[in-house]
Amino acid sequence: MVFARKFWKLLVAVKDGLALLLLLLFFMLLYAALSARQGAASIREGALLLRLDGSVVEEAHVPDPFSTLLSQEAPTAEYPARDLVRALRAAAKDDRVKAVVLDLSLFTGGGLVNLRDIGAAMNQVRAAKKPVLTYAVAYSDDATMLAAHASEVWVHPMGGTFLLGPGGNNLYFAGLLDRLKVNAHVFRVGTYKSAVEPILLEGMSPAAREQGEALYGALWETWQSDVKRARPKADVARATGDPVGLLRASGGDMAKAALAAGLVDRIGDEVQFGTRVAALVGKDALDDRPGSFAHTGLRTYLAGNTPAKAGKAIGVVTIAGDIVDGDAGPGTAGGNRIVALLDEAAGDDLAALVVRVDSPGGSILASERIRAAIQRYKGKGVPIVVSMANVAASGGYWVSTPAERIFAEPGTITGSIGVFAVLPTFEKALASWGVNADGVKTTPLSGQPDVVGGLSPEVEGLLQASVEGSYQRFLGLVGASRGKSPAEIDRLAQGRVWDGGTARQLGLVDQFGGIDAALAHAAGKARLGPGEWHARYLSSDPEPWAGLLSQMQDSGGEDQSAPAGGSDFAALISARRVAMLDQAAARLGLLVSSQGVQAYCMECPVKPRQADTHARAGLVQLVRGALGL
């Protein structure tokens, strides 16, 4: 019987192995077929169709294949901003492209800096005398910002524009943690380092409110100035200041209210919109459905427009997302992964290095390892230039300190020069259940840190001293980079977050400009003229399944020209509520988990990139447990 059981287990193992092998072979064949189809596709005369069924990001995540399979649904799409900018710039010069169409029906937003870059590229298309059209049901702030740069903005008769503006409420968990009897030990430096306030307080501190009002006010002003410049006749003040009055004056019709405010140009459904585009670019010979038009999708268009690689290479390393220890990414700045990219490229004779930062920070150890890897380039005489995207705060500023010059935008969020650490203990909760801790100690540090019995005064003192030491190192790095003393930097630091315009005035950044300006400056430092260099984005070889999952994200498909269904106002508000829960769950998880000293900007209004349903479920369960439900 023992032999039979072992033999049966062997057969089951062989069966499972063969099933897994067949599954992998199936996906490899499917990927090969899709890749062959994409390679065979050609750019058609007609419209360049940018169907943004997801969010615009600095660097797209690579979805986990097993999580994707288990979730039984395609991952949320992410579109790197530089891909969209490159496609738009190429379309402006391409005689095959008669118009550009942006389908924003399922667009979930993006960072302010990225959206401004895309808007500028849309302007280049219009300057080439080519129409740019957008379509959506519900235009949110981000979609409206893109649409402002279009020559024709269409909205569904049941839709409208819904401008909410930045800001809103954060969740504070001090009362909940007190009810759960969780003792959150907080160690921080910086008057404005309000990252830990959600677990210490039941509302905003005066310092946090002061910096929040200044930051959000500056971002809102940047958004309004961009929209007004692109669409001077739009009545943004009325649409944002008295939306109810505007709606009532339009008979309760949200689409007509948007038209009255000058935020849209035409009202029509997807068939009417498609018919209009077809009149401009021609009908789709491969699709006779109503509203179809001749077009080429983003993926195919990029494949047919590879960037030139003449001259010497200027390396571009992207630090996007939370900075964490390990190999995470792309889309998350895994310290080990980024250091490996930098070290592997060190022998490639790069003329200069541009560091593109779009990160609120994270692990101070990972930030230091990345900084040290960049510093090694500087030690060899390679010019270092930093280009800040939407966010370059806390650890995102830490990794920027080796730069000879820092470029940012008015909408960039930076600063947050401060550090903290949080270590929760559960002695009060356990004691309420009759569980106590006791033992023998040979030193005051024996058994520490003790999350069951609590922290000793000596450990608390060491942790606070460690945080203070990290802060002093942070000040020293910034001071050396900015030509100021640590004391001078301390007056600008204290964990305070700054908008790009104020940061420039304070000397934390050098000048305004995007990635193009940073690359041009780096080329100048390397004594290279136009045509003598090209940008080389440092990246690791993609996994074989990454391309398949990336194509799965294209939910609308490039073959279909008709706009997707889209969402109305109620669905838009519901999505924002879910996003707020996702963000709150993720931030609470970071605060109460033991992740070492953090240089992280939780004050930065960073939009959730991909829904963390597990974190959200954990938050809901935590609240339910506290309420005894």
Side-chain angles (χ1 to χ4, degrees):
M1 291 298 295
V2 174
F3 173 78
R5 282 197 299 270
K6 289 183 177 180
F7 184 70
W8 176 252
K9 289 181 179 179
L10 176 63
L11 290 177
V12 172
V14 170
K15 181 263 296 181
D16 291 343
L18 289 174
L20 180 60
L21 179 61
L22 289 173
L23 186 63
L24 291 174
L25 287 173
F26 167 76
F27 280 109
M28 289 175 66
L29 290 172
L30 180 59
Y31 172 63
L34 290 173
S35 298
R37 178 187 175 190
Q38 176 182 331
S42 60
I43 298 175
R44 303 161 58 193
E45 185 171 300
L48 169 62
L49 174 59
L50 304 180
R51 185 191 299 279
L52 303 185
D53 294 352
S55 59
V56 170
V57 297
E58 185 63 35
E59 182 181 55
H61 283 86
V62 175
D64 178 71
F66 297 104
S67 298
T68 301
L69 289 173
L70 292 175
S71 68
Q72 298 182 353
E73 60 184 35
T76 303
E78 293 179 336
Y79 302 89
R82 65 186 176 96
D83 285 353
L84 297 171
V85 170
R86 179 161 69 88
L88 287 165
R89 288 176 176 173
K93 304 175 183 178
D94 192 338
D95 292 337
R96 296 168 296 183
V97 177
K98 306 303 180 184
V100 170
V101 174
L102 280 81
D103 180 2
L104 304 176
S105 302
L106 298 177
F107 181 51
T108 58
L112 185 60
V113 170
N114 289 151
L115 297 180
R116 282 169 62 95
D117 290 343
I118 296 169
M122 292 168 66
N123 291 343
Q124 292 182 26
V125 177
R126 293 184 62 183
K129 308 300 181 183
K130 298 182 180 184
V132 179
L133 301 92
T134 68
Y135 177 87
V137 176
Y139 282 95
S140 63
D141 297 28
D142 294 345
T144 298
M145 188 173 182
L146 289 183
H149 295 270
S151 50
E152 287 188 26
V153 181
W154 283 66
V155 67
H156 191 278
M158 299 297 291
T161 56
F162 311 104
L163 306 182
L164 307 179
N169 291 329
N170 294 319
L171 297 183
Y172 289 79
F173 303 96
L176 174 64
L177 296 179
D178 183 62
R179 184 164 185 169
L180 295 173
K181 295 183 172 59
V182 175
N183 189 4
H185 302 266
V186 174
F187 311 93
R188 63 169 171 170
V189 181
T191 302
Y192 294 92
K193 198 63 179 177
S194 56
V196 294
E197 286 188 0
I199 62 174
L200 290 178
L201 306 176
E202 295 184 355
M204 255 184 161
S205 70
R209 189 173 300 279
E210 175 192 348
Q211 77 166 352
E213 289 175 348
L215 177 63
Y216 283 116
L219 296 179
W220 183 230
E221 182 59 36
T222 299
W223 184 94
Q224 291 183 88
S225 65
D226 186 90
V227 172
K228 290 175 183 177
R229 190 182 307 113
R231 186 166 277 255
K233 295 182 179 179
D235 193 349
V236 176
R238 188 183 182 195
T240 57
D242 186 20
V244 176
L246 175 62
L247 182 59
R248 286 175 176 168
S250 302
D253 189 317
M254 290 185 170
K256 290 182 179 179
L259 186 65
L263 294 170
V264 304
D265 301 304
R266 298 194 182 189
I267 300 173
D269 61 22
E270 49 268 29
V271 174
Q272 293 170 314
F273 174 74
T275 302
R276 165 61 178 161
V277 178
L280 294 172
V281 305
K283 295 184 178 180
D284 191 343
L286 305 177
D287 187 353
D288 59 358
R289 287 176 294 182
S292 63
F293 52 87
H295 71 280
T296 300
L298 175 63
R299 191 186 306 278
T300 300
Y301 194 72
L302 289 175
N305 286 276
T306 55
K309 295 185 179 180
K312 299 199 68 173
I314 295 178
V316 181
V317 62
T318 303
I319 302 171
D322 293 352
I323 299 176
V324 300
D325 300 307
D327 298 317
T332 299
N336 291 353
R337 178 182 62 84
I338 293 175
V339 169
L341 289 176
L342 288 165
D343 289 345
E344 288 170 4
D348 294 346
D349 193 28
L350 297 177
L353 179 67
V354 173
V355 183
R356 179 68 167 176
V357 183
D358 188 28
S359 171
S363 164
I364 200 169
L365 179 59
S367 300
E368 170 58 19
R369 294 191 67 232
I370 295 171
R371 185 206 66 82
I374 298 170
Q375 186 69 35
R376 288 195 285 273
Y377 277 79
K378 190 173 184 178
K380 296 192 302 181
V382 177
I384 308 295
V385 179
V386 162
S387 171
M388 293 181 171
N390 307 294
V391 183
S394 259
Y397 198 94
W398 186 296
V399 300
S400 302
T401 54
E404 301 173 22
R405 197 156 192 83
I406 295 178
F407 288 79
E409 299 277 18
T412 298
I413 302 167
T414 188
S416 190
I417 300 169
V419 295
F420 68 90
V422 178
L423 187 62
T425 59
F426 307 93
E427 64 273 18
K428 293 180 182 178
L430 292 172
S432 67
W433 288 88
V435 179
N436 297 292
D438 197 5
V440 176
K441 301 179 180 179
T442 55
T443 73
L445 302 181
S446 294
Q448 290 291 326
D450 188 350
V451 298
V452 175
L455 303 182
S456 69
E458 292 81 3
V459 168
E460 290 190 339
L462 287 173
L463 286 171
Q464 182 61 37
S466 173
V467 168
E468 292 173 359
S470 298
Y471 180 65
Q472 290 301 317
R473 176 167 176 76
F474 204 165
L475 295 180
L477 291 172
V478 177
S481 173
R482 300 286 91 196
K484 299 179 183 291
S485 68
E488 290 176 305
I489 296 299
D490 184 44
R491 289 193 287 271
L492 307 177
Q494 292 293 319
R496 178 147 186 172
V497 183
W498 305 99
D499 64 276
T502 306
R504 183 187 179 189
Q505 296 173 6
L506 296 173
L508 293 176
V509 302
D510 296 301
Q511 70 183 80
F512 288 152
I515 184 68
D516 292 335
L519 284 165
H521 182 84
K525 297 294 290 185
R527 299 182 179 179
L528 298 173
E532 297 177 345
W533 61 273
H534 68 275
R536 177 190 160 199
Y537 285 81
L538 307 184
S539 62
S540 54
D541 295 332
E543 297 291 342
W545 39 262
L548 172 62
L549 294 180
S550 178
Q551 294 193 41
M552 288 173 60
Q553 289 179 322
D554 184 14
S555 59
E558 294 198 342
D559 296 333
Q560 180 179 338
S561 56
S567 304
D568 60 10
F569 177 66
L572 180 66
I573 295 299
S574 178
R576 287 178 67 93
R577 178 199 61 189
V578 171
M580 185 187 76
L581 284 174
D582 291 338
Q583 190 174 67
R587 290 185 168 182
L588 179 62
L590 175 63
L591 286 171
V592 301
S593 62
S594 301
Q595 299 190 38
V597 179
Q598 297 287 306
Y600 191 90
C601 176
M602 286 194 183
E603 305 89 339
C604 298
V606 180
K607 298 178 182 178
R609 294 161 61 109
Q610 290 184 334
D612 189 347
T613 54
H614 295 293
R616 188 194 318 151
L619 174 62
V620 173
Q621 287 297 104
L622 187 65
V623 174
R624 285 172 58 89
L627 298 177
L629 300 177

